[in-house]
Amino acid sequence: MATTDPGPATVRDGPSIWVVGSTMVDMIAYTSRIPAAGETLVGDRFDLGFGGKGANQAVMAARLGAQVTIVNAVGSDAFGAMTIENLRREGIDTRFVVTIEGESSGAAPIWVEPDGTNRILIIPGANARMDARAAEDAVTDAPTVDVVVGQLEIPQAVTTAAFRAAHARGATTILNPAPAATMSAELIEATDWLVPNEVEFAALAHAMGVRAAEPTDPVALQHVQGALGTGLVVTLGSAGAVAVGRDGRLVRVTAPAVDAVDSTGAGDAFVGAFADAIGRRVDIETALRVACALASDSVRRTGTQKSFPSALDARAIARRAGRTGPAADHLPH
């Protein structure tokens, strides 16, 4: 089992972030190309690591110094025990990770091609049996909560309940709508910031009647943001990210140029760093610069969580990006 190396212990001086989301064990195959239907190929190498969008985002925020708690369910198998141990090693509070007897833990087979392109299949297992009332109670009873983060790898009712509890306490909610799926009106209503990638944005735009929408097109962005009523951040891979707030202000930030090896987990690095920045109440331009810098750094290495920079490096990258990052473009309204 490939283990995560968080590096030197992080000082937990950051915001209180609650991640209500998934955990997975990633099974990563590196291959020159993906086999066609009915075809068998010999791959280059294999790696086993920790993943799940919820866990990934929690790890990135924790390495930046946030006080992170995760709400999740694992199965009564070896993967479940290893997942909890890994989260604890990262300094993440696991009191609200429950073990479901007779169920499997989440798993994610991943295929990675030489240019870093990846294809991912997730098997939710115990993630799909998370309890909405338990998530709501966890957030409601938390001593402090600044940000609650969710994704679509667990039942939407669970995330909605946690987000509503967060709003009742004045906390900010961030939803990463991945993997792409139709979202309930209740979940969108409880979301402050929606953070899709380009593919997920296109699906959103299509559902709202915006055809061939480009995530850098101000008209398309404002249309989707207005229909959702949330703040909107679209990640653009190596091109950076673009955001439009509820006030209609649009900002685009470019990403640092790097030699990409494996893009697996880069989106989660972005969301975790963005959540930490929002929890620290920095402006949206700085939040985007920091999140882009951490995501870009992660693609320089293989794997998911283990591709993230160490705690020491993550905070150094965040400081540099916040202080000297590329200027943001203020797109026209």
Side-chain angles (χ1 to χ4, degrees), residues 37-57:
E39 182 184 20
T40 299
L41 292 177
V42 177
D44 298 326
R45 62 190 180 88
F46 176 78
D47 199 1
L48 194 66
F50 296 102
K53 301 192 74 63
N56 296 342
Q57 293 163 18

Side-chain angles (χ1 to χ4, degrees), residues 39-115:
E39 182 184 20
T40 299
L41 292 177
V42 177
D44 298 326
R45 62 190 180 88
F46 176 78
D47 199 1
L48 194 66
F50 296 102
K53 301 192 74 63
N56 296 342
Q57 293 163 18
V59 166
M60 187 72 265
R63 292 193 185 183
L64 286 165
Q67 303 169 62
V68 181
T69 303
I70 188 166
V71 180
N72 177 247
V74 297
S76 56
D77 52 19
F79 281 178
M82 290 188 296
T83 293
I84 293 173
E85 179 186 357
N86 178 65
L87 293 168
R88 289 174 177 166
R89 186 165 53 242
E90 294 284 351
I92 296 168
D93 187 342
T94 61
R95 287 175 297 162
F96 299 97
V97 178
V98 300
T99 299
I100 300 179
E101 290 298 325
E103 183 61 87
S104 67
S105 298
I110 301 172
W111 297 266
V112 181
E113 296 180 85
D115 65 354

Side-chain angles (χ1 to χ4, degrees), residues 109-254:
I110 301 172
W111 297 266
V112 181
E113 296 180 85
D115 65 354
T117 301
N118 65 72
R119 291 170 173 81
I120 304 173
L121 176 68
I122 65 168
I123 298 96
N127 292 287
R129 294 183 57 186
M130 289 179 62
D131 181 72
R133 181 60 182 272
E136 178 184 6
D137 290 345
V139 174
T140 298
D141 297 339
T144 59
V145 54
D146 297 309
V147 178
V148 176
V149 183
Q151 318 81 32
L152 299 183
E153 289 183 339
I154 66 171
Q156 291 188 28
V158 177
T159 309
T160 301
F163 277 16
R164 285 174 171 169
H167 276 179
R169 303 195 53 173
T172 300
T173 58
I174 298 173
L175 179 65
N176 175 214
T182 300
M183 292 175 287
S184 71
E186 294 78 11
L187 178 55
I188 294 173
E189 183 180 1
T191 299
D192 292 316
W193 285 101
L194 192 73
V195 189
N197 63 18
E198 295 171 273
V199 173
E200 292 145 7
F201 174 79
L204 282 169
H206 181 79
M208 296 172 183
V210 182
R211 299 294 183 261
E214 292 293 330
T216 54
D217 177 4
V219 174
L221 282 165
Q222 289 176 322
H223 182 99
V224 174
Q225 183 277 323
L228 291 169
T230 69
L232 179 65
V233 174
V234 184
T235 58
L236 307 172
S238 61
V242 61
V244 54
R246 283 175 165 164
D247 60 0
R249 180 169 174 263
L250 290 96
V251 178
R252 181 176 177 180
V253 168
T254 58

